[in-house]
Amino acid sequence: MTNGSTRRAVLAAAASLPVIARSSDAAAQVRPEPPVPPSGPKKRLGMIVFDGFELLDVFGPLEMFGMLKDRVEIVMLAEKAGPVKSGAGPAVVADMAFTDAPKLDILMIPGGIGTRREVNSAPFLSAVAALAKDAPQVATICTGSGLLAKTGLLDGMRATSNKMAWAWATAQGAKVLWTPKARWVEDGKYISSSGISAGTDMALGLIAKMYGKDMARWVAHRAEYRWNEDAGDDPFAAMNGL
């Protein structure tokens, strides 16, 4: 082969590369429709809020489940309906009071500075316990596990919590089998996550359990979120001396 023909062959091969790359990129694009079609009635997710709740504890998981609005209905629950202020300032409107809550398939309990107050409120804990007993799936985010632990429902169960608030959270349930190194922990119908952002990873883990891992990955891709799929991958435990 002459130098001229060799050069032409190389240029022709190089010219074909963008076409291959574009074809590969197209194949990797996130499809607009979920990989699993909806079936059966919608599930109802109830998110508890209270004065001083942590914003990302609530809205990280809800953003993930909100991608599945064709199969999940979300309701916001509080001691009374109306605006509830977060620890950061912005408020959310609770759709209904605990006493008016409908039957739930999933109950979520966030953390936040307000947990330090609510953990000493017998009426609040009683209402949370009643909802948790009836819900087939109960999830806590951050120090929300401390609230649930105080009800006694986590006694003998494995759970985790925010590593920076570990001493406080674990003090709420001496009989809980606290797991310090975990992004999230599942034991029976209870699933608990570590601090703040871990709730989003846990929510995707719950979606994977309910609808399959392909669905969870589709949701994460739609949200442009890099899901930590490993529940045991928790660098924050060591960073906080645990």
Side-chain angles (χ1 to χ4, degrees):
M1 183 179 289
T2 66
N3 288 340
S5 60
T6 300
R7 188 180 300 109
R8 284 194 297 272
V10 170
L11 290 174
S16 69
L17 289 177
V19 175
I20 295 173
R22 284 196 298 269
S23 175
S24 176
D25 289 345
Q29 286 180 355
V30 180
R31 299 177 65 85
E33 67 278 359
V36 180
S39 62
K42 278 189 176 184
K43 295 187 182 297
R44 186 178 289 119
L45 186 162
M47 174 66 82
I48 288 176
V49 288
F50 46 82
D51 285 338
F53 72 87
E54 184 70 36
L55 282 172
L56 192 58
D57 285 10
V58 169
F59 293 108
L62 292 190
E63 178 66 26
M64 301 301 108
F65 274 94
M67 295 279 183
L68 304 176
K69 56 182 177 291
D70 60 339
R71 62 201 80 196
V72 178
E73 174 192 0
I74 297 170
V75 293
M76 308 296 283
L77 306 171
E79 286 194 284
K80 61 180 181 179
V84 181
K85 198 170 184 179
S86 69
V92 65
V93 176
D95 299 304
M96 59 192 71
F98 293 150
T99 52
D100 298 323
K103 182 175 176 58
L104 301 174
D105 298 290
I106 308 164
L107 177 70
M108 287 193 168
I109 307 167
I113 193 63
T115 57
R116 275 64 167 180
R117 178 191 62 256
E118 301 297 358
V119 80
N120 295 310
S121 171
F124 180 90
L125 293 176
S126 177
V128 169
L131 291 170
K133 286 176 183 176
D134 288 343
Q137 185 74 62
V138 180
T140 66
I141 305 97
C142 192
T143 53
S145 58
L147 287 175
L148 190 60
K150 194 63 178 284
T151 69
L153 292 177
L154 288 181
D155 287 356
M157 310 295 287
R158 292 180 299 109
T160 195
S161 194
N162 186 315
K163 304 313 183 297
M164 292 186 71
W166 188 255
W168 179 86
T170 57
Q172 308 312 312
K175 297 180 181 179
V176 179
L177 306 178
W178 294 105
T179 305
K181 187 178 181 181
R183 188 69 172 163
W184 73 89
V185 170
E186 183 176 359
D187 194 344
K189 75 172 190 175
Y190 298 104
I191 181 168
S192 56
S193 62
S194 184
I196 310 179
S197 65
T200 305
D201 290 330
M202 177 201 69
L204 287 165
L206 187 51
I207 288 171
K209 176 184 177 181
M210 296 168 62
Y211 301 106
K213 188 163 281 189
D214 285 346
M215 178 69 88
R217 288 172 176 163
W218 177 83
V219 168
H221 292 163
R222 292 275 290 179
E224 294 192 3
Y225 180 76
R226 287 190 173 183
W227 176 30
N228 179 354
E229 299 184 27
D230 184 356
D233 183 7
D234 178 23
F236 301 101
M239 289 169 63
N240 287 281
L242 299 172

